[in-house]
């Protein structure tokens, strides 16, 4: 697996919406109940119950999204001590949840700092060029459509699941798909773990194509032991949606400039 760190494809204008999405994701993550204390290693049962109740309200649940089967009992965020020890209290929901709206709110929820930082790294590297090509408003609509497509695609494949789905991965996968279509020959600096992290500059079609292949392999359960905990199918749907939406924009998309200058201590040669 390669880790992208920078692309050689400068944008013509400031990607304000990409920056806004980055900030929004970090703000929501830090405002999520129990996150700050969990980062400090101080999570308690009460905080975990509060987090569970928060996610149940704002995350996508496939069964709710497809069948509109709303649960009669949900976590309340409170803790009670029973015969088997302390646990989270469940009760009738004290709110009206819109499954369709949850597909939007879930795009800004992340389960851990690693989940958040991984998503934001890809958005930071590839989002600016897609926003530059589409324009601010169209990029925002594109991001939302890819996120919704990923959520509904995953839910259709897991229609009876009651497990919450969170994260910006589906929408960002759409950004990656669009980048592959519009800038396949752009150069991307990546770190390859080989004894040490080896910096290499590769074409975007290799970096993003490899990423897509890995998502497909993981989605089938191959090569991983926790395939059920990551919504790889949502990544695939979002990626394909991004490719399809961006395809009409291929004509007229200016090619990325040939890189010149020093990166990672080596002078880049034209055409690399």
């Amino acid at each position: 697996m390669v880790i992208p760190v920078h692309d050689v494809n400068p944008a013509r204008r400031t990607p304000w919406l990409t920056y806004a999405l980055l900030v929004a994701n970090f703000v929501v993550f830090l405002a999520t109940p129990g996150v700050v204390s969990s980062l400090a290693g101080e999570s308690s049962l009460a905080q975990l119950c509060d987090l569970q109740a928060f996610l149940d309200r704002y995350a996508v649940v496939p069964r709710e999204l497809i069948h509109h089967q709303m649960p009669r009992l949900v976590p309340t965020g409170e803790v009670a001590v029973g015969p088997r020890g302390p646990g989270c209290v469940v009760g009738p929901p004290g709110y009206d949840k819109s499954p369709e709206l949850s597909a939007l709110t879930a795009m800004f929820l992340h389960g851990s700092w690693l989940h958040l930082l991984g998503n934001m790294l890809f958005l930071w590297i590839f989002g600016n060029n897609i926003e530059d090509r589409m324009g601010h408003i169209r990029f925002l609509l594109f991001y939302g459509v890819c996120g919704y497509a990923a959520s509904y695609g995953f839910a259709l494949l897991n229609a009876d699941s009651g497990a919450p789905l969170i994260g910006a991965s589906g929408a960002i996968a759409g950004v990656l798909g669009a980048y592959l279509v519009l800038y396949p020959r752009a150069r991307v600096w990546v770190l390859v773990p080989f004894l040490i992290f080896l910096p290499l500059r590769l074409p975007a079609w290799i970096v993003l194509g490899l990423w897509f292949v890995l998502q497909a392999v993981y989605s089938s359960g191959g090569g991983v032991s926790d395939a059920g905990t990551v919504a790889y199918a949502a990544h695939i749907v979002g990626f394909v949606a991004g490719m399809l939406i961006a395809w009409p924009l291929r004509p007229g998309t200016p090619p990325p400039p040939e890189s010149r200058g020093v990166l990672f201590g080596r002078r880049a040669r034209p055409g690399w």
Side-chain angles (χ1 to χ4, degrees), residues 12 132-134 138 181-183 246-256:
R12 298 167 299 173
D132 186 36
R133 181 66 182 91
M134 293 184 173
R138 286 200 296 176
V181 167
L182 298 177
Y183 304 104
W247 196 269
L249 298 177
R250 290 189 69 196
T253 298

Side-chain angles (χ1 to χ4, degrees), residues 104-123:
L104 174 63
T105 56
M107 292 184 207
F108 296 91
L109 303 178
H110 292 84
S112 68
W113 65 268
L114 187 61
H115 186 199
L116 173 71
L117 293 178
N119 278 343
M120 295 305 100
L121 174 64
F122 278 85
L123 180 59

Side-chain angles (χ1 to χ4, degrees), residues 49 52-53 56 73-78 88-91 95:
C49 292
Q52 185 178 356
D56 187 81
L73 298 176
V74 297
T76 64
E78 300 177 357
C88 300
V89 176
V90 296
Y95 51 83

Side-chain angles (χ1 to χ4, degrees), residues 30 183 185 208 211:
L30 293 176
Y183 304 104
R185 296 185 179 181
L208 300 179
W211 182 89

